[in-house]
Amino acid sequence: MLDLFETPNAEPEIVPVRKLAARVAGVYAAPSDHFETRAVDALAVGFEGIAGDYHAGVTRRSGGREPWYPRGTEIRNERQLSLVAPDELAQVAQTMGIAEIKPEWMGANLLIEGLPRFSLLPSGTLLFFKSGATLKIDALNNPCRQTGRLVAEQARMADQPAGALAFVKAAKRLRGLVAWVEKPGLIRQGEEISVRVPEQWIYRG
Amino acid sequence: MLDLFETPNAEPEIVPVRKLAARVAGVYAAPSDHFETRAVDALAVGFEGIAGDYHAGVTRRSGGREPWYPRGTEIRNERQLSLVAPDELAQVAQTMGIAEIKPEWMGANLLIEGLPRFSLLPSGTLLFFKSGATLKIDALNNPCRQTGRLVAEQARMADQPAGALAFVKAAKRLRGLVAWVEKPGLIRQGEEISVRVPEQWIYRG
């Protein structure tokens, strides 16, 4: 809640670092020519992301998410992996009136359970995987119409264009996060994750 | 201020995207073997940071800031450039009882003016430089004893070990930010910067 008596330039409330625990509930990879992913036992991640994957690369081409650049501008790739949470997918499915949404339909690489409000983990959160890899959260993944179309198709919705739009609306702040590889290593199905949420505050500058 | 009546898992307050304007008040580079920087007219930045610079690289070796890794672990380099603000440096100098702190002493690459509480800009903030480069803010730069020693030395403080410690304390949340290159290009002395602060909220998961 906004404090109406807050003084401009006052030191904001600093929320301390938090350590949380989570678990890898699913691991998925995409062939290099395909957005949708398939379940695998483990992923080997490097500084370029998942080698050979659709979203691999130290750099990527800008698109609709970066309207400030001409489409296709080469920028650093902070969107190497897509992470989603089972409770959030269930919530989106319920709002859309469909039985389920599978992580594979959305091109997700990791299904992560055990963290409430997963999509709201802040930028800079570190995920340390027991097998050795570390991911760093870039940002919330905003749902797009393209993913909505795939979900509507896979769920065999009667009105697919309406289903795609319903997904974009229902999945706002529930479509997970994108992350890049801070430290190469393995990520295995079922393993534990130590999560480090950095200090937080609101900049009102 | 923390709302004591806040419900766990309630949707947090979302502070909308903000657009701000700033100016490059100084540009500095470091020779590859040297922490301290020198004033230059412009910097050409690429995906590795400032070519040939002390902090250049797509990856870097971990140190005391990453106590969760064995020292020297190769990790992605999100600390390519160091950014500071003139009003914050003046405030740190005043607290330390010295006349000034020059950006060069701290190994800064950019002196940026026009943004209140510069060091508190959140992770993910984008800085669009008129000459073409884009930087993305990784995080607050925590002041360390090594930089404190350089500042105490350059300021010719009588008690240098005490001066180094005084810097670490005085510069907390006033020592600027670290950033990486999202889009290669030039950064010129005196030019304008468009700043995009992303949506903000506090994760209380």
Side-chain angles (χ1 to χ4, degrees):
Chain A
M1 191 178 276
L2 218 147
D3 178 1
L4 295 175
F5 299 96
E6 199 162 23
T7 323
N9 280 333
E11 185 82 7
E13 180 203 356
I14 307 282
V15 178
V17 166
R18 289 182 62 187
K19 289 178 186 178
L20 305 170
R23 201 182 74 90
V24 179
V27 180
Y28 314 88
S32 61
D33 59 346
H34 214 71
F35 175 78
E36 288 169 65
T37 47
R38 296 174 198 164
V40 293
D41 291 333
L43 285 176
V45 296
F47 290 117
E48 78 291 357
I50 306 165
D53 183 83
Y54 186 79
H55 287 103
V58 170
T59 65
R60 66 179 175 94
R61 298 287 167 176
S62 70
R65 295 174 193 279
E66 300 83 23
W68 40 80
Y69 298 134
R71 188 172 283 266
T73 300
E74 188 182 15
I75 59 174
R76 185 144 161 173
N77 184 13
E78 76 292 36
R79 300 176 57 84
Q80 293 176 335
L81 284 93
S82 160
L83 284 55
V84 296
D87 56 333
E88 294 187 333
L89 294 192
Q91 196 179 330
V92 178
Q94 191 180 19
T95 307
M96 292 176 68
I98 57 180
E100 63 167 346
I101 296 177
K102 292 196 172 166
E104 296 94 317
W105 301 352
M106 307 170 74
N109 301 112
L110 296 173
L111 182 68
I112 294 183
E113 67 179 18
L115 299 168
R117 302 306 312 259
F118 180 72
S119 294
L120 296 182
L121 280 174
S123 298
T125 295
L126 291 170
L127 306 180
F128 301 97
F129 294 83
K130 207 165 182 178
S131 296
T134 309
L135 299 184
K136 191 160 171 175
I137 298 301
D138 178 65
L140 196 77
N141 198 359
N142 277 320
C144 67
R145 198 95 68 94
Q146 187 199 338
T147 304
R149 279 194 287 265
L150 294 169
V151 169
E153 189 185 321
Q154 293 278 9
R156 298 165 197 246
M157 293 178 81
D159 185 343
Q160 301 228 344
L165 280 174
F167 171 81
V168 173
K169 199 174 165 195
K172 192 172 165 73
R173 298 193 186 109
L174 293 169
R175 195 243 179 281
L177 300 157
V178 287
W180 73 78
V181 176
E182 159 151 314
K183 179 173 164 282
L186 274 184
I187 299 174
R188 282 185 221 268
Q189 162 68 29
E191 77 176 333
E192 284 167 34
I193 315 166
S194 299
V195 179
R196 182 185 188 275
V197 181
E199 276 188 348
Q200 299 177 80
W201 60 83
I202 300 291
Y203 175 81
R204 302 194 190 265
Chain B
M1 189 177 278
L2 218 145
D3 177 0
L4 296 174
F5 299 95
E6 198 161 24
T7 322
N9 280 332
E11 186 80 9
E13 181 202 355
I14 307 282
V15 178
V17 167
R18 288 182 61 187
K19 291 179 184 176
L20 305 169
R23 202 182 73 92
V24 179
V27 180
Y28 314 88
S32 61
D33 58 346
H34 214 72
F35 175 78
E36 288 168 66
T37 48
R38 297 174 199 162
V40 293
D41 290 332
L43 285 176
V45 296
F47 290 117
E48 77 291 357
I50 304 165
D53 182 84
Y54 186 80
H55 287 103
V58 170
T59 66
R60 65 180 176 93
R61 298 288 167 179
S62 69
R65 295 176 193 279
E66 299 85 21
W68 41 80
Y69 297 134
R71 190 172 281 268
T73 300
E74 188 181 15
I75 59 174
R76 186 145 161 171
N77 184 13
E78 76 293 34
R79 299 176 58 84
Q80 293 177 336
L81 285 94
S82 161
L83 284 54
V84 296
D87 56 333
E88 293 187 333
L89 295 191
Q91 196 179 330
V92 177
Q94 191 180 18
T95 307
M96 292 176 68
I98 58 181
E100 63 167 345
I101 296 177
K102 292 196 172 168
E104 296 93 317
W105 301 352
M106 308 170 74
N109 301 112
L110 295 174
L111 183 67
I112 293 182
E113 68 180 16
L115 298 169
R117 302 308 309 261
F118 180 71
S119 294
L120 295 183
L121 279 174
S123 298
T125 295
L126 290 170
L127 306 180
F128 300 97
F129 294 85
K130 206 165 183 180
S131 296
T134 309
L135 300 183
K136 192 161 171 174
I137 299 301
D138 179 64
L140 197 77
N141 198 0
N142 278 318
C144 67
R145 196 95 68 92
Q146 186 199 340
T147 305
R149 278 194 288 266
L150 294 169
V151 170
E153 190 186 320
Q154 292 278 8
R156 298 164 195 248
M157 292 177 81
D159 184 343
Q160 301 228 346
L165 280 173
F167 171 81
V168 172
K169 199 173 164 196
K172 192 172 166 73
R173 299 195 186 106
L174 293 169
R175 194 244 179 280
L177 300 158
V178 287
W180 74 78
V181 177
E182 159 150 314
K183 178 173 163 282
L186 274 184
I187 299 174
R188 282 185 221 268
Q189 163 68 30
E191 77 177 332
E192 283 166 35
I193 315 166
S194 298
V195 179
R196 182 185 186 276
V197 181
E199 276 189 349
Q200 299 178 79
W201 60 83
I202 300 290
Y203 175 81
R204 304 197 189 263

